[in-house]
Structures are given as C-alpha cells and as structure tokens.
Amino acid sequence: MVGRYKVSIIGAGRVGSTLAYLLKQGGYSIGGMSCRREESARRAVEFVSGGVPCRDNGEAVGDSDIILITTPDQAIATVARQLRGARIDWKGRIAYHCSGCLSSDILSPLAEVGSAIGSLHPLHTFAQPAQTVSRWKGCYFFIEGDARARQVALEMSAALGGKGVVISPQQKPLYHASATMASNYLVSLIWLSLLLWERIGIPFSEGVSALMPLMKGTFEDIEKLGVASALTGPVVRGDLTTIKAHLQALREADKMAWQVYCKIGAVTAELASRNGLLSSQQREELLGILQAANAS
Ligand SMILES: NC(=O)c1ccc[n+]([C@@H]2O[C@H](COP(=O)([O-])OP(=O)(O)OC[C@H]3O[C@@H](n4cnc5c(N)ncnc54)[C@H](OP(=O)(O)O)[C@@H]3O)[C@@H](O)[C@H]2O)c1
C-alpha cells in the first residue's frame, strides 16, 4: 500500500524536507513541495532528490493522496482555509499537520470538503535536515485524527522506522507540554547549571565538557535501569545537611536557580518517595526544608 501513496509537502522547511526525504526512502513518492519563497522550495526538492518545487499551495497538492502541512503552527489554519478555497477534489485524500500542540480540528475546513484529517507529531528534533537524516533511527510519532487518518499515519510511522502512538485531540496540549519539559526545559536547566559554574570560574565550554559524562551516564541509566533507579544524589541519600548547604549557596548566588532548585527538589522527593527510596518521614522533612526556604 505504501508504494501507492503520493505525498505533497506544504511548507517544506526543516520538518517537511526531512520527512519527505525519509518517506521517499520508505517507498512513498513525493509530489509538490511548496514554500513561500521559491528558493526554499527548490532547496527542499534538491535535498529530497524528488518532488516538484511550488510557490502555490493548491498546485502543490496536485494528485497526491497525502498532504503534509508542515508550515509553522501559526500558518496552519490559514493554509487549511486557503486549500479549501482552491479547486481541489478532497475526497479520498488525507491532510495532516505536524504540530505537537494543535489538534487536527484546525484542519476541519478540509474535512468539510471531504478530506480525512489528522495530526502526526514526530517526537524528534529537526535542527538541520541533513544532520537529522544522517543520524535517523526512527522516532515515536504521536497521532490523532479520524479513523482513516490514524490508520495511514500508523503505516507511515512504521515506514519511517518509528512507532505510532494514538492519543486524543484533547490530550495534545498536555502531551506537548510534557515533551517540552523533557527536551527544551532540560536545555534550560543545563544552562542554569553552567551559569552557576561560571560564577566559580568554570567557562561555559569547559562546563559543557565536564557535565557531558554525567549527563550521558544519567541518560544511559534511565534507558537501562529505568527512571527511579537512575536517581542518585543527596535526595535519595536523605542527606539534608548537604541540601541545606546547597540552598544557602544558591540563595546567595542566584535567586532564579534557588527557586528552581526548591521546585525540582520537591519533585525529586516525590519521585524518590513513590519508589521507596525515601521514607515518608524523610520526604516530609525534606519538603519542610524546601518550603521553608521558598517562604523565607
Ligand atoms: N522543528 C522541530 O524540531 C519540530 C519538531 C516536531 C514538529 N514540528 C512542527 O513541524 C512544523 C514545521 O516546523 P519547522 O521547524 O519545519 O518549520 P520551518 O523550518 O520554519 O519551516 C516552515 C516552512 O513553511 C513555509 N511556509 C510558511 N508559511 C507558509 C505558507 N503560508 N504556505 C506555504 N509554506 C509556508 C516556510 O517557507 P519559507 O522558507 O519560504 O519561509 C518554511 O519552508 C510545525 O508545525 C512545528 O510545530 C517541529
């Protein structure tokens, strides 16, 4: 079935170009690839070694079965309305967008004219298409939409070497907030750690090198041992003296880092306690110290 599908990309930027490249490798044929600027569309077609560069989104749809709208989130609604207004027979086609937060409801103008609609969010970073495809090992795709869109998205996920997981439209904001914490906010947390080290004379670049074995080891432990077993440090040791010393130092050094430490310290206490690594008495004591610090 895969080989019979033709896919058009509306908004062939980082995600659109990368998915088109990988779909082509997976046996799909690529139709029109549109961008606002001609040079962007040409660059995408060159990268994919397939497809037709377009500046007109309606023209890019052509005779494709699957339409992937990979414009920035804020352009998806406009594109859907614009495509609905174009002279296109939508029956038998499936339109998707790739936003993590928005549901497929935003494509309802296309459903009203006969298209199946869905969203397909690849849980992966897409900084540079060439780099992404060179280290591609598949990823999870979080999917929602009508029955046909869900079925075909599951097939596409498998053809892309990944795994599709169906969620509901209502779950998307929570799903995406969670993914944001696990990826973007993790970066922010590391940045904050590096800022603190800068205060004691460790430059950023050296700090990154120093933290890398620690961070990579933590990721490996999470993968091999599970989240709870990967947790080490003063919280699981119930070492309140060390935590008090941290709070004192952070309070003097950086108010934002101190607040973050208190909040994530409470989460860490919860994780440790729920997994039997901290007694309820130790948990209460620790939360008391963190809350008292926060209130003072
Ligand atoms: N980046 C990620 O890591 C990531 C991960 C998962 C999902 N997503 C989702 O994937 C989608 C695309 O993100 P991205 O990072 O690939 O964006 P991007 O690199 O900025 O690419 C967006 C593309 O859309 C084109 N475009 C903008 N408005 C358009 C319009 N009205 N008609 C046709 N083309 C238009 C742009 O063309 P020009 O170049 O000509 O301006 C550009 O090529 C978003 O929904 C995002 O939430 C992103």
Side-chain angles (χ1 to χ4, degrees):
M1 188 69 202
V2 161
R4 302 218 309 260
Y5 281 134
K6 188 168 178 183
V7 183
S8 283
I9 311 288
I10 310 296
R14 281 170 289 216
V15 170
S17 302
T18 306
L19 292 184
Y21 180 99
L22 295 166
L23 284 167
K24 185 165 173 259
Q25 303 274 308
Y28 290 74
S29 57
I30 307 300
M33 298 184 74
S34 67
C35 289
R36 285 175 305 190
R37 290 170 296 162
E38 186 156 350
E39 70 201 77
S40 303
R42 289 203 179 282
R43 196 182 318 125
V45 165
E46 199 176 307
F47 174 71
V48 173
S49 292
V52 181
C54 301
R55 284 195 60 229
D56 181 307
N57 292 335
E59 193 184 309
V61 169
D63 60 353
S64 289
D65 314 282
I66 296 172
I67 318 303
L68 280 187
I69 301 174
T70 52
T71 61
D73 286 16
Q74 63 270 25
I76 295 172
T78 313
V79 167
R81 282 196 301 273
Q82 182 196 35
L83 288 177
R84 181 203 163 117
R87 291 186 179 186
I88 296 169
D89 180 3
W90 280 96
K91 291 185 191 70
R93 304 187 200 244
I94 312 173
Y96 297 98
H97 67 70
C98 289
S99 163
C101 192
L102 298 170
S103 80
S104 55
D105 288 351
I106 201 162
L107 300 180
S108 55
L110 298 176
E112 286 160 13
V113 288
S115 180
I117 55 168
S119 71
L120 171 76
H121 182 244
L123 195 62
H124 204 282
T125 54
F126 289 85
Q128 284 176 356
Q131 199 194 24
T132 308
V133 300
S134 72
R135 60 174 193 199
W136 183 257
K137 292 194 178 101
C139 73
Y140 274 74
F141 290 84
F142 287 83
I143 293 162
E144 58 80 34
D146 58 40
R148 178 149 184 260
R150 292 199 305 267
Q151 181 54 42
V152 171
L154 287 168
E155 288 168 24
M156 267 200 285
S157 308
L160 289 164
K163 182 176 176 186
V165 174
V166 174
I167 59 174
S168 75
Q170 297 76 17
Q171 288 168 334
K172 286 211 71 173
L174 189 58
Y175 151 73
H176 193 242
S178 161
T180 300
M181 288 199 293
S183 175
N184 311 141
Y185 286 13
L186 197 55
V187 174
S188 313
L189 202 55
I190 292 159
W191 174 73
L192 202 50
S193 296
L194 292 166
L195 279 187
L196 293 171
W197 272 8
E198 244 189 356
R199 288 175 169 270
I200 55 168
I202 303 167
F204 246 68
S205 57
E206 187 149 25
V208 171
S209 306
L211 279 178
M212 214 40 98
L214 184 70
M215 296 191 297
K216 283 186 177 170
T218 305
F219 281 123
E220 277 172 25
D221 288 348
I222 289 173
E223 192 168 28
K224 289 188 188 134
L225 309 173
V227 173
S229 302
L231 191 62
T232 59
V235 169
V236 284
R237 288 195 294 270
D239 184 354
L240 302 184
T241 312
T242 297
I243 290 166
K244 282 180 189 164
H246 289 173
L247 288 168
Q248 177 72 27
L250 284 166
R251 191 174 184 164
E252 286 162 16
D254 186 306
K255 178 128 190 273
M256 187 163 60
W258 171 67
Q259 287 170 332
V260 169
Y261 185 98
C262 288
K263 294 278 182 218
I264 300 190
V267 176
T268 310
E270 195 59 40
L271 165 63
S273 150
R274 284 197 202 182
N275 287 280
L277 303 166
L278 208 61
S279 70
S280 53
Q281 192 195 336
Q282 284 174 311
R283 173 182 171 274
E284 289 314 309
E285 249 183 288
L286 176 57
L287 289 180
I289 290 168
L290 293 169
Q291 273 156 13
N294 234 342
S296 61

